[in-house]
Amino acid sequence: MIQVYKCEYCGEIFKNKDDCFKHEIENHEGAERYYKVIYNILNELNRKYDMNKNIDGQNIAVDTNLCVCDGFEYIKNYISFYLDDCFINVYGSEDIIMHDLKNQMEQCFLDDLKNIEGTLRYEDWC
């Protein structure tokens, strides 16, 4: 029996795991796909909270690794960047990252809203 590896995006079959991993990164945008997701979430949150937060695109660190656990191989992604002065750091599989990215980024917006609201209340009280 020959062990084969299957691309999780298009289903193409490979005999070598490194070839499969390389195919997924190069042909299915790999790390670049996360840049689009990050900026889409940022634009959505800026509209939602009527703010103008920024991300320095040069400082977005995206790393994709092939991992093995109990004989199973999977891709683990690491993403970190600064959203203004708030540090965002997420890692895990693709579905976990998408969820965590949005949650952490939205928390930065909410933290700023709480700071602004607290300052306004204090000024009004004084």
Side-chain angles (χ1 to χ4, degrees):
M1 180 189 261
I2 296 174
Q3 186 169 3
V4 294
Y5 301 89
K6 183 177 178 183
C7 173
E8 67 179 89
Y9 301 105
C10 67
E12 189 173 341
I13 304 296
F14 297 88
K15 293 181 182 176
N16 183 324
K17 69 178 176 183
D18 293 331
D19 292 341
C20 183
F21 183 63
K22 184 177 177 183
H23 163 83
E24 288 184 1
I25 298 300
E26 291 177 358
N27 296 330
H28 297 288
E29 295 183 340
E32 288 78 23
R33 134 184 74 218
Y34 294 110
Y35 292 112
K36 293 176 188 173
V37 169
I38 289 167
Y39 282 105
N40 287 340
I41 293 171
L42 176 66
N43 291 333
E44 176 187 325
L45 293 173
N46 273 329
R47 281 191 304 275
K48 180 177 179 180
Y49 293 106
D50 194 25
M51 291 186 171
N52 194 21
K53 287 189 167 285
N54 293 313
I55 296 172
D56 181 6
Q58 301 292 340
N59 293 326
I60 298 175
V62 179
D63 191 21
T64 303
N65 295 319
L66 185 63
C67 301
V68 178
C69 180
D70 295 331
F72 295 100
E73 295 176 348
Y74 63 97
I75 294 174
K76 192 169 193 176
N77 304 292
Y78 299 88
I79 300 175
S80 60
F81 59 92
Y82 279 94
L83 175 57
D84 284 344
D85 60 343
C86 184
F87 184 66
I88 307 292
N89 185 29
V90 294
Y91 63 92
S93 63
E94 187 170 334
D95 54 340
I96 291 172
I97 281 193
M98 298 304 176
H99 179 263
D100 288 351
L101 260 177
K102 184 161 185 171
N103 284 346
Q104 285 191 25
M105 289 174 73
E106 189 158 22
Q107 190 59 48
C108 288
F109 279 83
L110 293 174
D111 288 346
D112 277 358
L113 283 176
K114 288 177 186 174
N115 288 340
I116 292 169
E117 183 179 312
T119 302
L120 292 175
R121 285 186 180 174
Y122 175 77
E123 293 295 327
D124 186 49
W125 177 76
C126 290

